[in-house]
Amino acid sequence: MSPLLEINNLSIDFLSESGNTRAVDGISLRLGRGETLGIVGESGSGKSVTALSVMRLLPAPPAHIRTGQILYYADQTPVDLLQLPDKDMQHIRGADIAMIFQEPMTSLNPVFRCGHQVTEALQLHRKMDFQTARAATLELFDRVKLPEPARIFEAYPHQISGGQKQRVMIAMAMSCNPNLMIADEPTTALDVTVQKAILDLMRELREASGLSMLFISHDLGVISEICDRVAVMFRGKIVEEGTAQEILQHPQHPYTRGLVACRPSLHRRLRRLPTVPDFLENTGFEARVVTPAETTARAEALYAEAPLLEVKNLQVRFPKKKNWLGQPTEWLNAVDQVSFEVYPGETFGLAGESGCGKTTLGRSIARLTTAQNGTVLYKGVDLQQLTPEALLPFRREIQVVFQDPYSSLNPRMSIGDAIMEPMQVHELHESNRIRRQKTIELLETVGLQADHFQRYPHEFSGGQRQRICVARALALEPRLLICDEMVSALDVSVQATVLNLLLELREKLGLTYLFISHDLSVIKQMCDRVLIMNRGKIEELGFPDAVYQNPEKEYVRRLIEAIPGGY
C-alpha cells in the first residue's frame, strides 16, 4: 500500500513561564492510501496535538515543534507540511486534508447559517459561484443523510441536534473531496444510535471515494468499528501499534490492557471497574463479578422497604409553536405520563437518546423544571405543591450533578469556596472553620487533596472537576443524588474511576441515585433497575439483565445493537 502520510520523529513542546511540557515525544506513523489509522489514548496523551500539527493549526507560541517531518504524498513526490509556506498550506488545508473537530457546536460559527458555512469552503477552494455551491451543499447534506437538507441549509447551529451538527461538519470536510480526513473524537458524547449512524456514514464515504482517515478517539470500542490499524498513545509516545484486532484481543502494553479492561461491559457487572493505574502500577487487581445470587439478595433487601421517591403520571410540556400574540398553539410533551418508584439505597437508571425526556424528568423531580401535571412524592411529601420556602429543606436532601463539570463551577471561585457555599446558604454547621474542615474531608472523600482547596476549576482535569461537583453535592448530606450524564464526555479510564467512586459513596453514605445516561453499558454496571424512555414516554422498565437479554420493544433492541465494539 503506497503511503499518503508519514510522520517521522515528531516532537512538540508547549512553552510556558513555569517550563516546557513535551506533548508529543518522538512519534513516527505511516498512513496508506485508502487506510483508516486509529490513534487512541486518554486526554493529554498527545493525539489531538498530533492531528493539529498535520493541519498546521497549533498556535505558535506556545507550541514549538522541536523535531520531525510530516510528509504528505499528493503524488509520488512527498511534501514536508512543516516546511511549506503559509500560502501553500492554505491550499492543502481543507482541499487535500480536511478535519472534523470534536465539538461541532464550537466548530460551527453560531452567527452563520449551516449551509452558508459549507458554501464558503466550496467558493474558496473550488471557485464556485453561490448558486452552484448551494446546489453542491444540498447534495452533500443529502449524502450525509441529513433530514430536510433545504431546512438545515437555512438553520443556525443551535437549531439542530448534536448528531445533525456533526453531519454538517462531515459535509463541510467532504466538500472539497479531500484525500485525507482527520476525525478528532467525532462521536464523543453522542448517543449510541447517532454514533453508529456517524460511523456507518464515515465508512460509506471512505469506501465510495477511497478516502484515507486518521481517526482519533479514547474509546477502543469505537476504534474497533472503523479502523484498520491502531496506534496507542500514552504521555506523548506511541506505546503499541498493530491491527485493530490485535490491539483489542491481545493488548501487550499495560496501558492498552487498562484501556480495554476499564470499559463497562453489557455481559457482566463488576464490584469495581479496573482502571489504567491498576495495570500501570501492577496492583494485582482482580475483577470480581457480581453473581446472580448477590444481585437477587440485594434486590430483596432494597424492595422490602417503602419507596423514597414516587413519580406518578408526571407530564412536562414546552411550547412548540406560538401565535402572533405569543400564546402557545402547539405543545411538545417532553415527559408524558411517566410513573415509577425509587427505593432507599437503589441506583435507578434513566436511559434513552438525546431528546427522549430523561434530563427533563430529572430536572422536574428536583423542581428545576416546572411540571404541568402529576405528582412527585419524596418521603410521602408532594414536592410539586410546596412553596419555595417549604421546598428549601428538601433541596438539601435532593442534589444534582450535571453533565458538564466546567460550566457547573464558577471559574472565579476556588473549589474550596464552591463546596463551602451551599453549606453557608443552608446554614449548615456552626462556623466557617467547621465548614472548611468539612470541605477538606469531602475533597479527600472524592480522592482529591486538602491543598487543592485554593485552586480554581481550570487547574483540574475533566475527571477531577467532576469529583469536585460530587463533593459539592455531598456537602449538604443529601439522600438522593440525581446524576445527569455525568460521565458521558470523560475518557473511559477516568469514567471508570468516577463510577467506582459513586459505588463506594453509595455503600459508605447510604446514598440513592437517579442515574441518567445514554450509555447502556454504564447503566448495566451502575443500576439496579433501568427505565428506558423514548419521546417522553416509557419504553421499558425492569432489571438490566432482563431488559438487555430480552428487550420487548424494537427501540430498545436498536439501542443495544448500536453499542460499538461488541461490549
Side-chain angles (χ1 to χ4, degrees):
M1 184 184 297
S2 60
L4 180 67
L5 186 76
E6 281 187 5
I7 298 175
N8 297 319
N9 193 32
L10 183 66
S11 294
I12 302 172
D13 288 352
F14 278 82
L15 313 179
S16 67
E17 293 179 359
S18 57
N20 296 350
T21 301
R22 180 64 54 88
V24 176
D25 193 0
I27 70 166
S28 297
L29 289 170
R30 183 178 186 275
L31 176 66
R33 294 181 184 274
E35 184 182 32
T36 299
L37 173 65
I39 302 180
V40 68
E42 298 173 283
S43 295
S45 63
K47 56 189 190 300
S48 292
V49 173
T50 301
L52 290 169
S53 67
V54 174
M55 295 291 288
R56 287 266 299 271
L57 291 175
L58 287 174
H64 175 65
I65 297 176
R66 289 286 185 189
T67 63
Q69 292 178 311
I70 300 178
L71 302 178
Y72 172 62
Y73 291 78
D75 44 38
Q76 297 303 315
T77 306
V79 175
D80 188 351
L81 299 180
L82 298 180
Q83 303 301 322
L84 273 185
D86 289 342
K87 186 176 180 180
D88 293 339
M89 189 64 206
Q90 286 176 8
H91 291 302
I92 289 178
R93 189 189 298 125
D96 286 54
I97 305 175
M99 188 164 182
I100 305 168
F101 295 93
Q102 177 172 354
E103 178 45 68
M105 190 63 212
T106 55
S107 302
L108 293 170
N109 192 321
V111 301
F112 288 103
R113 300 178 192 274
C114 294
H116 292 238
Q117 299 188 51
V118 181
T119 59
E120 181 185 29
L122 290 167
Q123 290 175 286
L124 176 66
H125 289 290
R126 297 177 66 179
K127 309 304 179 186
M128 293 181 178
D129 61 62
F130 177 76
Q131 289 304 323
T132 307
R134 185 181 188 279
T137 299
L138 290 173
E139 186 179 333
L140 281 165
F141 282 2
D142 184 62
R143 191 178 173 192
V144 299
K145 297 181 174 62
L146 276 166
E148 303 176 79
R151 178 183 65 83
I152 289 180
F153 186 96
E154 298 297 336
Y156 290 96
H158 72 273
Q159 294 176 309
I160 60 178
S161 71
Q164 289 172 339
K165 282 194 280 281
Q166 197 62 284
R167 287 168 189 261
V168 171
M169 286 294 301
I170 293 173
M172 189 184 302
M174 291 297 299
S175 62
C176 297
N177 297 319
N179 296 318
L180 170 62
M181 182 186 288
I182 301 173
D184 186 6
E185 300 272 13
T187 61
T188 297
L190 294 180
D191 299 330
V192 286
T193 49
V194 177
Q195 175 178 266
K196 184 178 187 300
I198 295 292
L199 293 177
D200 288 345
L201 169 64
M202 296 182 75
R203 250 193 309 268
E204 289 173 19
L205 295 173
R206 179 186 64 185
E207 291 165 5
S209 59
L211 186 69
S212 298
M213 279 199 286
L214 200 62
F215 194 98
I216 296 168
S217 180
H218 64 259
D219 191 333
L220 280 167
V222 171
I223 286 285
S224 71
E225 291 284 313
I226 197 167
C227 296
D228 303 307
R229 290 188 302 114
V230 179
V232 182
M233 287 193 73
F234 176 56
R235 294 177 182 171
K237 295 178 179 289
I238 293 175
V239 296
E240 191 165 354
E241 189 174 356
T243 67
Q245 188 175 5
E246 288 171 350
I247 296 295
L248 282 165
Q249 296 183 3
H250 306 289
Q252 300 300 310
H253 194 276
Y255 178 72
T256 313
R257 292 204 298 271
L259 284 181
V260 172
C262 65
R263 183 77 167 86
S265 171
L266 279 181
H267 309 299
R268 62 178 185 173
R269 178 184 297 166
L270 302 178
R271 293 190 181 183
R272 176 183 172 273
L273 287 167
T275 62
V276 168
D278 290 326
F279 290 83
L280 291 176
E281 297 166 13
N282 193 22
T283 61
F285 172 83
E286 291 184 18
R288 296 184 61 190
V289 177
V290 178
T291 65
E294 290 173 325
T295 301
T296 302
R298 175 171 166 80
E300 289 175 354
L302 281 176
Y303 307 124
E305 298 188 42
L308 177 70
L309 178 73
E310 296 175 80
V311 177
K312 297 180 179 180
N313 301 318
L314 197 67
Q315 184 177 38
V316 182
R317 301 186 303 165
F318 297 110
K320 194 174 181 181
K321 289 184 180 178
K322 295 181 180 180
N323 60 19
W324 64 278
L325 291 173
Q327 297 170 330
T329 58
E330 191 176 335
W331 294 86
L332 171 69
N333 287 320
V335 178
D336 195 359
Q337 302 295 323
V338 171
S339 301
F340 61 93
E341 301 88 26
V342 180
Y343 291 80
E346 182 180 22
T347 301
F348 187 90
L350 286 178
E353 299 173 284
S354 293
C356 72
K358 57 187 187 295
T359 292
T360 302
L361 176 55
R363 291 177 63 88
S364 61
I365 288 170
R367 277 280 296 272
L368 299 176
T369 297
T370 302
Q372 279 71 34
N373 292 299
T375 57
V376 177
L377 300 177
Y378 177 78
K379 294 182 178 178
V381 177
D382 187 357
L383 301 182
Q384 303 295 314
Q385 304 302 320
L386 297 180
T387 64
E389 293 76 16
L391 182 66
L392 197 59
F394 292 96
R395 289 211 180 279
R396 269 193 59 187
E397 296 197 28
I398 303 174
Q399 289 289 299
V400 184
V401 182
F402 297 97
Q403 178 174 356
D404 183 358
Y406 196 74
S407 62
S408 302
L409 295 167
N410 188 333
R412 295 183 178 87
M413 185 181 286
S414 73
I415 64 154
D417 290 336
I419 295 170
M420 278 180 60
E421 184 183 37
M423 298 187 218
Q424 294 166 335
V425 169
H426 287 268
E427 298 180 352
L428 194 62
H429 309 302
E430 292 78 13
S431 66
N432 277 339
R433 183 183 61 80
I434 298 175
R435 293 177 189 125
R436 183 184 176 88
Q437 184 58 41
K438 289 286 183 183
T439 299
I440 291 171
E441 290 174 11
L442 285 167
L443 286 173
E444 292 172 346
T445 298
V446 299
L448 298 174
Q449 299 171 13
D451 60 5
H452 289 157
F453 188 100
Q454 296 297 341
R455 294 190 184 180
Y456 289 84
H458 71 272
E459 298 180 80
F460 295 89
S461 69
Q464 288 174 322
R465 284 197 289 266
Q466 201 59 282
R467 288 167 179 262
I468 293 163
C469 291
V470 172
R472 186 178 60 178
L474 294 177
L476 295 178
E477 301 170 3
R479 289 285 308 281
L480 175 64
L481 210 57
I482 300 174
C483 304
D484 185 9
E485 296 278 15
M486 62 177 288
V487 296
S488 65
L490 300 179
D491 294 336
V492 286
S493 55
V494 178
Q495 173 182 275
T497 306
V498 174
L499 294 178
N500 287 338
L501 171 66
L502 291 177
L503 291 173
E504 291 168 13
L505 293 174
R506 185 182 69 184
E507 302 307 315
K508 181 180 178 181
L509 304 176
L511 293 171
T512 303
Y513 294 133
L514 188 66
F515 194 88
I516 301 170
S517 179
H518 65 259
D519 190 331
L520 292 180
S521 56
V522 170
I523 289 280
K524 173 68 181 290
Q525 170 65 22
M526 292 295 296
C527 299
D528 299 292
R529 287 185 300 149
V530 58
L531 185 156
I532 297 179
M533 295 182 67
N534 182 25
R535 297 181 181 178
K537 293 181 179 290
I538 296 175
E539 285 282 340
E540 286 199 41
L541 170 61
F543 298 104
D545 288 335
V547 171
Y548 292 7
Q549 290 172 14
N550 299 294
E552 296 178 2
K553 302 287 184 67
E554 178 60 29
Y555 174 77
V556 180
R557 190 174 293 111
R558 259 194 317 113
L559 283 181
I560 295 169
E561 289 173 352
I563 296 172
Y567 285 99

